[in-house]
Structures are given as structure tokens and as C-alpha cells.
Amino acid sequence: MSDLNRASASADKTPRTERGRKTLRRLLEAAAEEFGERGYHEAAITGITGRAGVALGSFYTYFESKEEVFRALVRDMSRATRAHVAEAVKDAPDRIAAERIGLTAFIAFVRQHRELYRIIEEAQFVADDVYREHYRTFVEGYRRNLAAAAARGEIVAGDDEPRAWALIGMSVFLGMRYGIWEEDLSPAEVADAAISLVAEGLRKRG
Amino acid sequence: MSDLNRASASADKTPRTERGRKTLRRLLEAAAEEFGERGYHEAAITGITGRAGVALGSFYTYFESKEEVFRALVRDMSRATRAHVAEAVKDAPDRIAAERIGLTAFIAFVRQHRELYRIIEEAQFVADDVYREHYRTFVEGYRRNLAAAAARGEIVAGDDEPRAWALIGMSVFLGMRYGIWEEDLSPAEVADAAISLVAEGLRKRG
């Protein structure tokens, strides 16, 4: 709930009861549908409450405005994406295996959450700070993983911040092309091709 | 001019005189400023003609609507970006050198054309077909370059379409982070880190 805390204007909007948490979750899921289908400018708070089956007054228990629910949604989707990938890779034997498993899981996640890209991408025009926070948070975790793997001797050492941005850009574009636009390769096939490039390198040896 | 031809509703809007070509160029440069600063929805045709110092009637000699000039602008920026990178890499001795020089040139280009990202990114909400065409055209060139380099034995063979999407995603994110958000590394430093990753690979060798 810490993400939602930060997104709320006042911390006392965080639900204290199980029922409140369920209502908040329903509102966020409805917001993902409403913003994903209609875009930020066409989306309406009444569209969100209608989809959620929640009274309009209840909406204002949790959010003060359309912008506030949008910001909370971007943070919630960002957290859910990172959690999904982290869960998928938690038993990976090493960093390169984790890259392959993580990219496969990410593309599969995108296929099941097709509204993800539209909402995150629109954030750069509606709430650029939340858009940047999304990628900076992703990169920070990635950078730490690369540094730890280099320290363990699993990968070559390098400049981890640009390496992390490079790897995340790669994943985002592969997710767009093979997750949303067309599904002509499976997530595992895409990850095999991309992680082979990243793990072994383009240079021909020997 | 072929891009502009396609963007126009009727081919006979393509200027036939040098003066007409200059007016069209001024309109596109003014459109880049207007859309880049104000975004698509706030931008106005009168804002474009005012910046260009061109009469409103002349605008309609070239474009029928705000959407039409926006579409022509995205295609024009896409073509200019590809031309800039192609020119930079034309004397590169091999594919890996071309990757490094091309990425350096791309990040430098982004720093000098800061409106590029906002306009291209907004295209996905305004004219998604032109947004997709932009990346598909980039990928198609990249894919051919990778295939030719593999055939010459300069790089290892692989699945060139996902490899091309991976490399372009990498470049786009590095351009965003180090071209627009912050300039704490030089374009060459960013390219060295990223192309080292791509050329040599992450895997540690004996």
C-alpha cells in the first residue's frame, strides 16, 4: 500500500479495513479499464465508478480527482509489473538465466495486461514525474542486480546504469512489438533471441 | 519528398517550386516547435503559421488539417533521424563500429532536437499508424544491416527481427535518459557502455 499512500493527497485515505481495501482495488482495476480503453482525456470518474460498481461518493474517499486516481494507477501498475517479474525470476540460478526468465515473464504479462502500455505511455503527457519514477525505479533495481551479479562473477563488470537503461529499453520495445502489436513469436522465443544477443554478444569469436 | 507525398491527401500538394519547398520546410519546422512545446491538443494551425511567418491560406496549400501536418511532421522527423544516423555511420569499418558511432550520433541528435521524443511519443495517441510505421521502418533497416553483417561474418548470426527491436529499444531509452532527461554522461560514454554490452555480451569467459 505504500505506493498508494504516496499517491494520495492525505495518508488518512489509505483504507484501514479489508472491505475498504477491496473497494480501492476494484476502483484501480476499473480505472485501468477506463483509462486503457478511453485514454486519459476521454476517461471519466463516473466511468470508473460505474465499471467498479462503487458509488461516486466512495470514489472521493480514496481519490480527489481524475489525475490523482491516474497517478495511483500508474504506480500500482508499475509495482505489479515489477512484482510479477521478480516472482518469476526468484529461483533463477544466475543473472543470465534470470534475464531470460524475466523477459519471458514480462512479455507474457504484457499480453495479459494490454492496457499497461497505453497507460504508462500516456503518463508522460499527464504526470511526467510518475512516468519517470516508473522507469527510474525499474532501472534502480536492475542496476543493483547487475552490480551484484558482477560482484559474484556471473557477468562481466561494466557501467551498470547505462547497461540497465539499455536492457530495460530492449524489454519495453520487445514487449510492445511481441506483446501488443503482434504475437508471431512466443515470449520464450523472443527472450531467447534477445538474451542470446545480450549474454553472448554480437562479436564473432575464434 | 516521398514521405510528404504520402502524408498529403492529394499528391498535387507537393510543392513544385524552390520557393514552395522552402515554405513547406518552414511550416514543418514551425510545426515541430508548436507541437513540441504545446502538445498536439493545445497546438493550433495559427500557432504554426505565426511561427513560420506564413499566411494561413498558404498552410492549406500544403495541409488540410492539424492532423495532416502532424502526420507529415512525424514522417519528416523519422526520415531526418534515420538520415542523420546513416550519414554518421557511412564510413564505419564494420557493424560493431557502426553500432557505436550510430548510437553516439543518435544521442547527440536527440540533444539538439529535444522536441523529437515528445512528438514521436504523442503520435501513438494521435496517429498510431504513423508511430508504428516510424519504428517498423527503423527496424527494417536495422534488420537488413544485421543480416548483411552476419553474412559478411562480422557478427554472429541470430534472429534478426527481435535483435533489431532489442537494439532500437535500447537506443530509444538511452536517448531518452541521456539525451533528454539528464546529460551526466557524454553520448560517446553512453554508447561505449551500451555497445560493449551488445558486442561482447554479459557472459564472463574463462
Side-chain angles (χ1 to χ4, degrees), chain A residues 142 146-147 150 155-168, chain B residues 174 178 193-194 197 201-202:
Chain A
Y142 222 120
L146 291 173
I155 62 169
V156 297
D159 197 343
D160 287 324
E161 185 151 15
R163 294 205 301 190
W165 282 98
L167 291 165
I168 283 179
Chain B
L174 292 169
Y178 296 100
L197 163 67
L202 283 173

Side-chain angles (χ1 to χ4, degrees), chain B residues 1-204:
Chain B
M1 288 290 113
S2 64
D3 283 346
L4 289 166
N5 253 327
R6 279 199 299 278
S8 298
S10 51
D12 59 15
K13 288 192 166 192
T14 305
R16 290 194 187 79
T17 65
E18 181 60 21
R19 186 174 160 184
R21 278 188 289 275
K22 279 189 181 160
T23 302
L24 175 58
R25 176 53 43 203
R26 280 221 307 281
L27 284 168
L28 287 170
E29 284 169 7
E33 287 176 21
E34 177 77 1
F35 288 120
E37 284 175 23
R38 307 188 65 195
Y40 183 79
H41 293 289
E42 294 295 317
I45 290 174
T46 52
I48 295 170
T49 54
R51 289 173 195 265
V54 165
L56 188 58
S58 291
F59 175 90
Y60 290 101
T61 309
Y62 302 100
F63 305 106
E64 285 181 355
S65 63
K66 183 165 87 167
E67 185 180 331
E68 196 182 313
V69 66
F70 181 80
R71 299 170 74 91
L73 175 63
V74 171
R75 287 183 165 127
D76 186 65
M77 294 183 101
S78 181
R79 184 203 49 70
T81 307
R82 279 179 276 122
H84 179 82
V85 173
E87 174 66 23
V89 307
K90 74 179 194 305
D91 297 324
D94 60 43
R95 187 68 231 153
I96 289 173
E99 293 292 328
R100 183 176 277 108
I101 296 165
L103 181 53
T104 306
F106 175 70
I107 296 171
F109 184 82
V110 168
R111 287 186 181 181
Q112 284 165 359
H113 299 82
R114 305 179 72 88
E115 72 288 0
L116 178 71
Y117 271 64
R118 176 164 191 174
I119 292 166
I120 301 279
E121 289 303 304
E122 195 164 19
Q124 63 192 302
F125 301 103
V126 174
D128 190 43
D129 58 321
V130 182
Y131 176 78
R132 294 189 185 205
E133 176 186 297
H134 165 64
Y135 284 121
R136 286 192 198 280
T137 306
F138 244 109
V139 161
E140 184 47 31
Y142 222 121
R143 196 194 57 68
R144 278 200 307 269
N145 288 340
L146 291 173
R152 289 194 303 270
E154 286 172 20
I155 62 170
V156 296
D159 197 343
D160 287 323
E161 184 152 16
R163 295 205 300 190
W165 282 98
L167 291 166
I168 282 179
M170 187 184 85
S171 298
V172 170
F173 268 63
L174 292 169
M176 179 176 78
R177 165 62 180 78
Y178 296 100
I180 296 176
W181 290 6
E182 285 175 78
E183 302 191 357
D184 50 328
L185 295 180
S186 72
E189 286 170 327
V190 175
D192 283 348
I195 303 306
S196 164
L197 163 67
V198 162
E200 315 306 335
L202 283 173
R203 192 183 299 284
K204 203 155 182 175

